[in-house]
Amino acid sequence: MIVATARAMNTNAPVSNLDPYSDAALIEPWDIYGELQDLGAVVWLQKYRMFALTRYDSVTRALNDAAAFSSASGVMMNDEMNLVLRGNALCSDGAEHRRLRRVIAKPLSPTALNSLKSEIATKAERLVERLVVKREFCAVADLATALPVDIVAGAVGLPQEGRERMLVWAEQMFNCFGPRNARALGAFPVLQEMMHYAKTQALRGKLKSGSWAEGIIDAADRGEVDHACLPVMMIDYMGPSLDTTIYAIANGVWLFANHPEEWRKVCDSPSNVPSAINEILRMEAPIQGFSRLLARDYDMDGIALPAGSRAIVFYGAANRDGRKFPDPHRFDVTRSSADQLAFGWGPHMCVGLHLARLEMAAIFRALAARVRRFQIREEVRSMNNTLRGFKRLAVSVD
Ligand code: HEM
């Protein structure tokens, strides 16, 4: 609903009192996203005093223009969190960002991942074989969590106790990314534990030799990045490498359970797996939104965004924008949704996307060879400020 224009903010943007972070919106955000899209290319969210970008065109323009939409002051929706992670790849701009990203991206290129490819495929086959025999399992805890925890946590290379905490840290970190609400405040202590661990335990001698995390320290020793950045750079691996993929896999199972005809297309023709992965990510983006700080005044289709204001970029909304994707709420694994935005867009586009795709493809290929139909027995959504997916998803399989 438009209540006024945001004169105090020196903008002519339409203003809305809609709340994309209410419990109801986290469960079912699509109507709110649709209303915000219809209000304009940019909308001022009264409750959070931030702009919302929900149209595909606005989101991609912002993500492509890092000089105007800066990440260096953080990409979260509250000041405390934006101070914590400054200096990692996610929260940096320009030449500094390219330097940090080069280091983080090294073990995540398609060539570097070749060594993990067959291990991922074999582990996915064995896991799915075991679960199918059981007939009923949790698509989150039993299926989606296994590969990321088994393979990725090992490759990151934290000491054992850190590996065991990674899932809890990551989930709570994504709560801290949101606006300063009860979910974020409740998660801050866990984030402090994660940062303390990064500073005191993610050190040479304690990390697995040859691991990705040790690779960051090697890069600092070679002078490629500053030693002072090491703890926050560890977060580039510790934060986004597990939950995102876990949520994506479970979201896929949920979509296929609700759309058996689409699952049949995958079973009948596993060559549909790559496009099905894009369509799963388009429909249910595991990360719904991050933010950017306006580094200068910006004009988006005649709407003024003043320097110093913050804009939330809703990947999840843009992926359901009918201006870009016809009939956007229809799940169709043969649709061409390669330019969906679940991995972001522009210079900060996800560095882990090849790995995430590898893991998802291995799981869905293994399932396609053995499961004709999923049935949901119980579903419990995760109420997280940033992540969209399930805490529990019990399914039975034929
Ligand atoms: C389905 C799984 C995944 C999803 C949906 C996802 C989503 C995203 C998104 C939306 C961004 C863009 C951030 C921005 O615009 O500011 C991003 C960046 C990033 N992701 Fe992922 N991610 C996934 C998996 C992974 C994995 C497996 C890793 C690491 C092993 C990873 C590491 C990163 C890092 C380090 C960045 C920051 C890149 C930069 O700022 O240059 N992600 N991811």
Side-chain angles (χ1 to χ4, degrees):
M1 181 175 69
I2 300 184
V3 291
T5 49
R7 282 193 200 92
M9 211 27 231
N10 206 13
T11 176
N12 54 346
V15 179
S16 170
N17 54 16
L18 289 170
D19 179 2
Y21 295 96
S22 69
D23 285 1
L26 292 190
I27 292 169
E28 195 65 29
W30 317 120
D31 286 350
I32 287 188
Y33 288 162
E35 280 187 55
L36 292 172
Q37 282 164 348
D38 290 345
L39 281 173
V42 184
V43 175
W44 178 251
L45 294 180
Q46 182 86 337
K47 178 165 181 183
Y48 298 110
R49 305 195 57 74
M50 284 179 251
F51 291 103
L53 274 55
T54 52
R55 292 186 186 172
Y56 187 92
D57 177 62
S58 322
V59 170
T60 45
R61 274 164 69 187
L63 295 176
N64 269 329
D65 191 346
F69 291 85
S70 164
S71 295
S73 303
V75 299
M76 301 78 179
M77 277 64 100
N78 65 80
D79 293 341
E80 286 97 321
M81 192 62 196
N82 279 326
L83 282 175
V84 172
L85 288 189
R86 274 191 203 176
N88 71 355
L90 185 66
C91 303
S92 54
D93 285 335
E96 175 68 0
H97 170 241
R98 285 190 291 279
R99 192 166 40 245
L100 297 167
R101 186 178 162 104
R102 209 172 300 128
V103 172
I104 298 292
K106 214 169 179 185
L108 297 168
S109 70
T111 319
L113 288 171
N114 268 338
S115 60
L116 285 180
K117 230 175 179 168
S118 69
E119 189 186 350
I120 290 177
T122 312
K123 287 201 164 154
E125 294 279 332
R126 285 197 197 130
L127 169 71
V128 169
E129 253 167 39
R130 263 200 325 272
L131 293 177
V132 167
V133 171
K134 282 172 58 178
R135 293 262 172 221
E136 202 167 320
F137 55 87
C138 174
V140 182
D142 302 329
L143 177 75
T145 306
L147 283 189
V149 166
D150 199 17
I151 295 178
V152 182
V156 172
L158 299 181
Q160 187 59 33
E161 141 217 8
R163 273 182 233 180
E164 283 160 18
R165 289 293 284 161
M166 266 175 87
L167 278 180
V168 179
W169 288 338
E171 189 189 357
Q172 293 311 321
M173 183 195 80
F174 280 113
N175 263 329
C176 295
F177 274 42
R180 216 172 178 282
N181 57 15
R183 275 185 293 274
L185 294 177
F188 278 136
V190 183
L191 184 90
Q192 277 159 9
E193 178 200 321
M194 179 183 187
M195 291 308 303
H196 178 74
Y197 189 92
K199 284 181 192 150
T200 59
Q201 302 300 313
L203 307 171
R204 194 184 293 289
K206 297 194 174 189
L207 296 169
K208 193 167 100 184
S209 156
S211 62
W212 300 350
E214 198 184 59
I216 303 181
I217 300 179
D218 294 341
D221 288 351
R222 288 193 301 270
E224 292 169 22
V225 290
D226 198 337
H227 274 98
C229 292
L230 289 179
V232 279
M233 286 185 75
M234 294 294 167
I235 306 296
D236 276 327
Y237 289 141
M238 287 161 70
S241 61
L242 301 183
D243 281 55
T244 48
T245 319
I246 295 171
Y247 276 53
I249 293 170
N251 287 344
V253 172
W254 181 79
L255 283 164
F256 287 128
N258 285 302
H259 299 275
E261 72 294 347
E262 295 305 306
W263 181 238
R264 217 162 300 126
K265 288 184 199 165
V266 175
C267 295
D268 293 349
S269 179
S271 59
N272 282 327
V273 165
S275 70
I277 288 173
N278 281 327
E279 182 65 352
I280 292 166
L281 293 166
R282 185 190 72 78
M283 287 290 289
E284 298 283 329
I287 294 180
Q288 286 287 300
F290 283 159
S291 78
R292 297 290 192 263
L293 191 80
L294 269 292
R296 60 170 172 80
D297 291 345
Y298 191 87
D299 180 299
M300 178 87 75
D301 294 345
I303 300 176
L305 291 91
S309 57
R310 194 163 274 284
I312 308 175
V313 283
F314 284 101
Y315 316 104
N319 275 351
R320 298 271 195 130
D321 182 1
R323 293 158 192 80
K324 166 71 180 173
F325 299 104
D327 199 359
H329 304 298
R330 190 168 56 84
F331 179 54
D332 173 0
V333 298
T334 55
R335 177 201 289 268
S336 51
S337 34
D339 45 4
Q340 55 80 24
L341 303 181
F343 288 122
W345 200 253
H348 286 274
M349 192 166 183
C350 180
V351 285
L353 64 87
H354 305 295
L355 174 61
R357 285 186 192 285
L358 259 185
E359 294 176 88
M360 290 179 76
I363 291 282
F364 287 110
R365 284 215 168 87
L367 286 167
R370 294 168 183 83
V371 172
R372 288 305 283 180
R373 202 186 158 103
F374 301 95
Q375 270 178 324
I376 296 174
R377 299 291 171 200
E378 189 200 358
E379 59 178 80
V380 181
R381 274 212 172 267
S382 167
M383 300 298 286
N384 189 287
N385 274 336
T386 310
L387 294 173
R388 178 164 176 80
F390 296 91
K391 209 177 184 57
R392 181 169 160 72
L393 184 66
V395 291
S396 60
V397 292
D398 300 328

